[in-house]
Amino acid sequence: MNTVLDDNKKLCLNSGKIIHLSERMTMMFEVEDLEVASPATVSRCGMVYMEPSLIGLGPLFKTWMAQQPDYFMANKDFKKTLQRLYEDLVDDAMTFLRTNLTEPVETTDNNVCQSIFRIIDCFLFPFKRTEIKEPKKEDIAYMISTLDSIFVFAIIWSIGCTTTLEGREKFDKKMRELIKKTKITFPEENYVYDYNFYVKDNNWVHWLKTVGEYNVKASIDAYAEILVPTVDSIRMQEIMTQLAANDKHCLTPGPTGTGKSVNVAELLTSGLTDAFQSFGMVFSAQTSANQTQDAIDDKLEKRKKGWYGPPPGKRFVVFVDDLNMPKKEVFGAQPPIELLRQWMDHAGWFDRKEKTFKHIVDIVFITAMGPPGGGRTFITNRLLRHFNIITYTDLQESSIRHIFTTILEAFLGRGKFTTQIKESVPKVIEMTMELYNKVICELLPTPAKSHYTFNLRDISKIVQGLCSAYPKTTEQDLDLIRLWVHEAWRVFGDRLISKDDKDWLDAQLMGQIKSAFDYNRKQVYVVDRLIFGDYLDGIEVDTRNYKPVTNLDEFIKTIEGFLEDYNAMAIGSRRPMKLVMFLDACEHISRICRVLRQPQGNSLLLGVGGSGRQSLAKMATFMMNYECSQIEVVKGYTMDRFHDDLRNVLKRAGLEDKSLTFLFCDTQIISEQMLEDINNILNSGDVPGLYKKEDMEEIDRVGTQECIKRHLQPTKMNRFTQYLTRIKRNIHIVIAMSPLGEIFRDRLRKFPSLVNCCTIDWFTEWPEEALLGVARGDLEDKDLGLANEFDKVVEMFKNIHQSVEKISISYYQILRRKNYVTPTSYLELLGLYGDILTKKRKQVNDSKKRLENGLKVIQESSLEVKRLKELLDVKQPELEQKKGEVERTLEQLNVDRAKADETLKIVSEQEAEATKNEAETAILKAQADKELAEANPALEAAVKVLDELNPGDIRELKGYLTPTEMVVIICTAVCHMFKVRPVKVNDPKRAAYDPEGYFEACKTRIMADPNKTVNMLKEYDKENMEDSVVKRVRPIIDREDVNGESVKKKGTAALFAFYMWLKALLKYNDVLRRVRPLRAKAAEMDDELNRVRNDLKAKRQLLQDANERIQKLEAFYRQKVEEMQNLEAEINDCNLKLERASKLIGGLKDEKERWTNTVNSLSEIYACLIGDCLVAAGMVAYSGCFTADYRANLESSWVEGLGTLDIKHQESLTMRLVLGDDVKIRHWSVHGLPSDNLSIENGIILHTARRWPLMIDPQTQANKFVKSMGREHEGGIDIFKASDGNIMKQLETAIELGRWVLLENIDEKLDPSLDPILMMNRLDPGESKIARVGEKQLKYSSMFQFFMTTTLPNPHYPPEIIVKVTLLNFAITQSGLEEQMLNQLVQQEMPDLQEKKNRIVIQNAKSARELREIEDRILQNLEGDTTKILEDEKLINMLAESKKQSHEIQARVKESQKTEKEIDETRKKYRPVAYRASLLFFCINDLS
């Protein structure tokens, strides 16, 4: 721009293009001041200063008069009257304002003068011509007759309303003097501000008479909606209504708590006609112009192209609260303010997307703001000139008294309270006002007490608490006084940070009670603390009564019971909390419960991180039966996600009508815009632009229902307003913030609702009672076996914590280094003590047991040698005796074996002969059987035929009276077979057929019983058929006419069966005659074989007897041989064990004395562990951030404290003595850890602490050390910088794979997404551990390690970070730097020597580790039974080899140490230079 202002008039654009301005073109600037103008610009411009006083107010009056309608001006009295009133009143009143009155918001004469005219315009509007009305002359004449009163009213509420309450008292007197110049009669009573002028009646009426009687709705749920009309509220609403109705903008500045927002909200809800729609917005320090534009644009509708506004026929009233809160940008402008000014000046603004101008019509602004100061700034007069400024003053005491007396009487005036309680109300209100006035005068805000800001809301909160009184426990005035004291402490006392302030408040309370009711402290305080709560009857009751706690011990037990219920119901996102409930913690819970039970109750919990704010808030929420909602900040958490979370929470409160707590912590703040949104919710229940279009349908439905309940018109704005009312009733915001640092004070300035809309609870350091109680509870849970030392240890815990609190103050005062000691640090101390004591006890016990076992082995080996020698003396003669018995048994065995051999030979010969005969007999039998087999088919066929016969067939044959010849033939043959004689028949006829009588004989003898006939045939003795029978039968069967076919044809089935049977038997007999000689021969041979066998059997019995005798002898022989061998083996084993025992005793001879001394030493150490571990745990928990001197002071003071409490401990006790391991320390040195004591202590803390380390490492020595150790780690190490992206994914991988992670260059803030890792959220569902990171659950590897380093030399970490990490000061010490400088010097001057030194250091560390491993291996192998050890040759040899290696290593170490001493002697020559280099560095460092 400067080039344009030059003579050449060139405009140089960014694109490089140059535009020349013509000669006729010029630039003119109209500015308020030159504060941000550069000298280059100023020097190129001519200056014309416009002095406002030179112009005066006359031109404004003339301009305004010129704008009046002709029909007004036609009446000469109109112009004359206004001219007179202007000349008589305005200048005098304006001069009085500028010379005698103070304005909270400075105004200009022009604006105040214009405000007069705007108010007069409001009165003149009803008399102006409209489309439907023509003004009458008599009406105009009447209006002119009232102009004096109108003008006076306008001056009162323009010039007279910009000052304070004291200024109004002065202006009242001046105004009454000026009124005398007019033609009006003004009431003499009260102030001029107390009257409204009614044009219609031409009368002045007191404001209170303009409204009807107000009835308080005595419901604690509706307390926030109670608005008792006062003179202030009535007149302010009436004036704002008039201005808004006539399109005049109104600004209402005033102190916090005077009712600005409440009055405007009531006006917008029910004070305007249906022609108006409204919405509100709240500015804060973070509000931007874009947010403001979007908030208004969202509510507008398109009228036509480029024109926007409310729906046709409507006008918008936009309420902007905290107008002066937006912070100024670098050149002093406030972008949201400038946007509003753009609309005021140009009736619109530009569409950011379309880049076109948007005309916005039918819109009126009503704004409110606090007086400039703190986070509030002065607003440009360019905006103020558009407003009528009507200042809210501090309420008159009479108004305050009227408001709260009316409310309290409405609540306590109900029939259930006694008359004494009702009569006490005025006194209680008077005490409250007196207390409030003293508090605002005495408890003033300072940088350390920036939250000491009080307003009328605090009186309201006290009265709200009194309205919760329970009739049954509030029967006397003393009961009400106790409740009043409790509420006063909760409102005023809970935010106080020092004992002096609390003592002052206590004195004021007691003084008020003494003067008003004449009660003393003892009468008021029936218990040590006054605590009221609605949870004493349980949390599931239908009616929760607000009652006092009468027994503090029972109170604590009640809270503990609720904690047990909470943990028992802990599922999902609600995790069990391990809390120790001492009195202070229970009282904090009760305080939070008190806030949560109140509609629109929000709480600001102020305390350092780790003081229990969030845990106690969750407990209070549980006790109130509310949901607790909390965001979880993970990597990639953005404002969009935050808005999603907020929207879900608000919808649950508004749509589902659920009471819930939204818990928000300052460590979750990723953008100050978050607090802007929280500020808006606290103030209005809404965040501009939060809801999506799809949400509005449900919101409208709920809003309509609420409007119907409240008998309101369900307009769009009313629906949304009722939805917001529902949200404010249900949602309770609990904000946990740290009160440390400038950022806290800055936030209170930027976001005033954090104080104005919240009840503050200051979390102080834990008192002594809390420290002792928590320690006692923790130790009782762990049962560490402290016995008589229990109370001493508890006392020592308290002393350690308090000593660190004290030394931290000195640390800051002297070195300007901040360290915060929080309750979490104390809990970490308790946890570390239990871990360290348990671990050290096990370690010492195990070491002692192993050494005792080694000594036992040595002792038992000596005894075993003696026993083995005695055993050898006994066993050697037994061995000789056994040998003789074996020889004699062997001789007898040989004799018996010879006899048995002879018998065996005879038996073998006979057995061979018998076998031969048996084979021959078998051949004969086989031959006979083969021939007999030829007859078998015929027999089988006959048997088959017989089987097929049935008794009927035989009866048929038997029944023949005249048998055929064939029948007679066959029956004759059958009779012959059975030797049956014939039976003669006397009947001649029958005899003709059976002349011999064989058929008759067969019938009567063979076929007599048909059932038996077949069996007789089958059972016939075919082996012994007589030859005579065969001779008689064969001729019959062999006849030619007798064959199978003829028999079958001429006979029956029975006859055919007889025939087949006869045929088969004959054939069988033929074969049998041939086989019989063979059988006889076989039988003869069988007889001979049986004889031989019997003889053989006798011989075998003799052989068996001989063998049994031999077996017995052999068994006896073997037994003797075995006994002899066992005896020899036993003797050999004795000799071998003697040899091994000698080796063992000889090998461990050198260790016996050392082990004995070590066992005694370990016994003493074990006895001292209770005290030793106290110091060690204290150093690990607290000392990490301190320098060496402060650590030494802490350590020595704690050791001295152990002596004072008579807790046994080691002499020269240090953390290194308890937790140090020389082998590990040497290993660390190899990896670059400096050898000074501070660095070694850091190494011990690093590997002992339970939280991940954050190392202050300006010289990067910790960084190098961790990297070197990590390269040796099995899983490897990942190294990131805090500025790197995608760290969380890498960390998740490292957690699962067990890698180390080093995060470098940490700033004074940590990414909130690291919290799950820092807090080590690990679950243990079974065998595998699970780590919860954000919404993910990862398999947790125990090898995972996380390290953080910062190069900042003196970082200031807030408590919220300190409680999550182990802070370690790795800043180099003078001795450490001297050692490093010495190494550098020797490396430069004598590199070979330094190289040799480095090799020796590495070798010594390796040797020390090997020696430790060898000893551990020896002791491990010695565990078990001594006899088994002596039996293990491999083990004995291994022990001998280990001992040999140990001697070799010890010799090598001695040689290395000797060489190292020689090298160190040479290096000493360079030490003075190293010392001076170190000294120089620290001198320069101190100077900086």
Side-chain angles (χ1 to χ4, degrees), residues 743-973:
I743 190 169
F744 169 70
R745 295 189 288 273
D746 192 41
R747 284 170 175 167
L748 292 191
R749 285 197 302 271
K750 290 180 178 179
F751 310 105
S753 294
L754 295 179
V755 175
N756 296 336
C757 299
C758 293
T759 300
I760 297 175
D761 187 7
W762 182 276
F763 281 66
T764 59
E765 300 86 1
W766 279 4
E768 185 173 309
E769 168 230 344
L771 295 173
L772 294 174
V774 170
R776 190 171 287 111
D778 185 81
L779 293 179
E780 286 173 352
D781 289 344
K782 291 177 179 173
D783 190 18
L784 297 174
L786 302 179
N788 297 332
E789 306 291 321
F790 186 91
D791 291 332
K792 299 177 184 177
V793 171
V794 170
E795 182 70 20
M796 191 63 197
F797 279 136
K798 181 206 73 175
N799 294 343
I800 289 173
H801 185 78
Q802 292 179 337
S803 68
V804 179
E805 287 180 332
K806 184 177 178 182
I807 206 170
S808 294
I809 298 172
S810 169
Y811 192 54
Y812 177 71
Q813 291 172 344
I814 296 174
L815 298 181
R816 310 309 294 174
R817 289 179 174 271
K818 273 286 187 183
N819 175 53
Y820 296 104
V821 186
T822 68
T824 301
S825 308
Y826 187 65
L827 296 176
E828 185 67 12
L829 168 67
L830 300 178
L832 276 168
Y833 179 71
D835 290 351
I836 291 174
L837 181 60
T838 303
K839 182 179 177 182
K840 287 298 294 181
R841 278 177 170 172
K842 184 177 185 304
Q843 181 184 333
V844 172
N845 243 338
D846 289 349
S847 298
K848 183 181 174 185
K849 284 180 180 178
R850 291 171 74 178
L851 291 173
E852 285 176 341
N853 185 68
L855 291 171
K856 178 184 174 185
V857 168
I858 295 173
Q859 182 181 1
E860 288 181 351
S861 296
S862 300
L863 295 174
E864 186 70 6
V865 167
K866 182 178 179 183
R867 187 185 69 80
L868 290 172
K869 287 182 177 178
E870 293 174 353
L871 188 63
L872 279 175
D873 292 341
V874 174
K875 295 294 182 182
Q876 199 66 42
E878 286 183 9
L879 179 61
E880 296 301 326
Q881 181 182 349
K882 293 291 181 185
K883 286 181 179 180
E885 291 179 358
V886 168
E887 290 176 357
R888 288 193 294 275
T889 303
L890 183 59
E891 290 176 0
Q892 181 62 41
L893 183 59
N894 290 334
V895 172
D896 288 347
R897 276 180 179 168
K899 292 180 179 178
D901 289 343
E902 292 178 4
T903 304
L904 179 60
K905 184 178 179 181
I906 295 169
V907 170
S908 298
E909 291 175 354
Q910 290 182 354
E911 193 168 12
E913 183 180 352
T915 302
K916 180 182 177 184
N917 292 339
E918 190 173 14
E920 291 176 354
T921 304
I923 290 170
L924 290 176
K925 282 185 175 182
Q927 186 178 352
D929 291 339
K930 182 180 179 181
E931 292 184 5
L932 282 174
E934 294 178 6
N936 284 339
L939 283 174
E940 291 172 0
V943 170
K944 184 178 180 182
V945 172
L946 291 175
D947 288 337
E948 292 174 354
L949 280 181
N950 56 57
D953 294 332
I954 296 175
R955 288 192 188 95
E956 181 185 1
L957 180 61
K958 180 180 177 184
Y960 280 4
L961 296 176
T962 56
T964 63
E965 181 181 3
M966 187 61 69
V967 170
V968 174
I969 291 171
I970 296 304
C971 287
T972 302

Side-chain angles (χ1 to χ4, degrees), residues 555-608:
F555 168 61
I556 294 173
K557 290 180 181 178
T558 300
I559 302 296
E560 287 175 343
F562 291 143
L563 177 62
E564 291 178 5
D565 295 342
Y566 178 95
N567 290 335
M569 298 170 63
I571 56 173
S573 59
R574 183 196 287 177
R575 296 178 187 161
M577 295 189 295
K578 191 171 184 293
L579 304 177
V580 177
M581 287 303 170
F582 52 92
L583 184 56
D584 275 43
C586 295
E587 188 173 14
H588 277 298
I589 292 175
S590 183
R591 294 175 186 177
I592 301 170
C593 284
R594 171 188 168 274
V595 176
L596 297 181
R597 73 184 298 273
Q598 299 171 350
Q600 301 185 26
N602 305 299
S603 186
L604 176 61
L605 309 181
L606 299 180
V608 297

Side-chain angles (χ1 to χ4, degrees), residues 31 164 265 432 458 472 747 815 853 860 947 988 1000 1008 1013 1017 1085 1111 1141 1169 1175 1183 1191 1299 1348 1360 1441:
V31 296
T164 60
T432 306
D458 297 317
K472 290 185 179 179
R747 284 170 175 167
L815 298 181
N853 185 68
E860 288 181 351
D947 288 337
E1000 191 66 26
T1013 303
L1017 298 176
M1085 294 179 71
Q1111 286 175 359
L1169 279 180
V1175 173
S1183 71
R1191 289 187 187 183
R1299 294 177 63 81
M1348 295 163 285
E1360 289 75 20
E1441 183 63 28

Side-chain angles (χ1 to χ4, degrees), residues 1056-1106:
F1056 179 73
F1058 288 168
Y1059 170 76
M1060 292 299 292
W1061 177 73
L1062 291 169
K1063 190 81 172 172
L1065 285 182
L1066 291 176
K1067 185 175 183 181
Y1068 185 80
N1069 183 261
D1070 292 341
V1071 174
L1072 187 61
R1073 291 173 67 85
R1074 294 197 306 269
V1075 172
R1076 190 171 283 129
L1078 295 174
R1079 283 186 168 181
K1081 181 66 174 175
E1084 183 181 345
M1085 294 179 71
D1086 272 344
D1087 293 340
E1088 180 62 24
L1089 185 61
N1090 288 335
R1091 184 188 62 75
V1092 171
R1093 282 177 177 168
N1094 290 334
D1095 189 30
L1096 183 61
K1097 184 178 180 181
K1099 293 290 193 295
R1100 282 178 175 167
Q1101 185 62 44
L1102 291 174
L1103 181 62
Q1104 183 178 351
D1105 294 343

Side-chain angles (χ1 to χ4, degrees), residues 517-536:
F517 290 93
D518 198 26
Y519 288 124
N520 57 35
R521 173 183 292 278
K522 288 185 178 178
Q523 291 171 299
V524 174
Y525 282 89
V526 290
V527 288
D528 291 342
R529 302 189 192 186
L530 289 177
I531 301 173
F532 282 73
D534 63 355
Y535 44 78
L536 298 173

